[in-house]
Amino acid sequence: MIHLVYVFKPTVKARANVAEFWDWVRARDLWFYDGLDMAHDPRWYVRTIGPEVHALEHSISFEDEAAWGTYRAAVALRSKEPDWERRRTEQEQWWEILEARILSDAPVPRRATLRRSRTDVA
């Protein structure tokens, strides 16, 4: 798997309008990834410790490099449509991109984390 990871710093507007910001993020995810079936498992995290406290981390995953390349080509094609590109770039009202990186899975099996209650532990 390939994982595209972004770190965003919310703008003053986003920090002043938190509920509106998260509504925008949810709507943007639905709009942006619509029809991009090669993109899987979008995730959002809020940093609470470390550099850029309260920054956001967003990841999207792809089966392999070919799927990531197909995604990049589709986004590039969409960006040529003025209305689509206008909507995409409205993100600058809400966040600043601090970092972007690509991660790939290591050759170690992925395990599901077991969640146990205190009563399950003997």
Side-chain angles (χ1 to χ4, degrees):
M1 293 288 288
I2 302 289
H3 312 280
L4 176 59
V5 181
Y6 286 98
V7 177
F8 302 119
K9 179 180 179 180
T11 63
V12 171
K13 176 181 176 175
R15 292 190 307 271
N17 302 283
V18 175
E20 183 182 355
F21 169 70
W22 285 110
D23 286 344
W24 175 83
V25 169
R26 284 187 286 275
R28 185 184 188 279
D29 263 15
L30 291 173
W31 165 79
F32 188 87
Y33 294 115
D34 183 44
L36 297 175
D37 298 334
M38 74 294 288
H40 303 283
D41 199 22
R43 293 178 178 233
W44 288 92
Y45 302 95
V46 178
R47 285 188 184 178
T48 54
I49 297 175
E52 299 296 337
V53 173
H54 305 300
L56 308 174
E57 291 198 23
H58 172 59
S59 67
I60 190 76
S61 300
F62 307 92
E63 290 294 324
D64 52 27
E65 290 180 33
W68 181 66
T70 302
Y71 165 83
R72 293 296 309 141
V75 170
L77 184 62
R78 289 176 178 195
S79 71
K80 292 178 182 180
E81 299 171 19
D83 289 340
W84 191 91
E85 184 63 5
R86 192 174 307 106
R87 185 166 180 188
R88 184 193 69 79
T89 58
E90 77 182 13
Q91 69 188 12
E92 295 169 5
Q93 298 173 39
W94 296 103
W95 61 48
E96 171 188 350
I97 298 173
L98 299 179
E99 180 183 338
R101 64 187 183 273
I102 295 283
L103 302 174
S104 58
D105 288 344
V108 177
R110 193 169 178 188
R111 267 183 37 188
T113 302
L114 298 176
R115 294 182 185 228
R116 299 187 306 188
S117 70
R118 288 181 172 248
T119 58
D120 292 340
V121 179

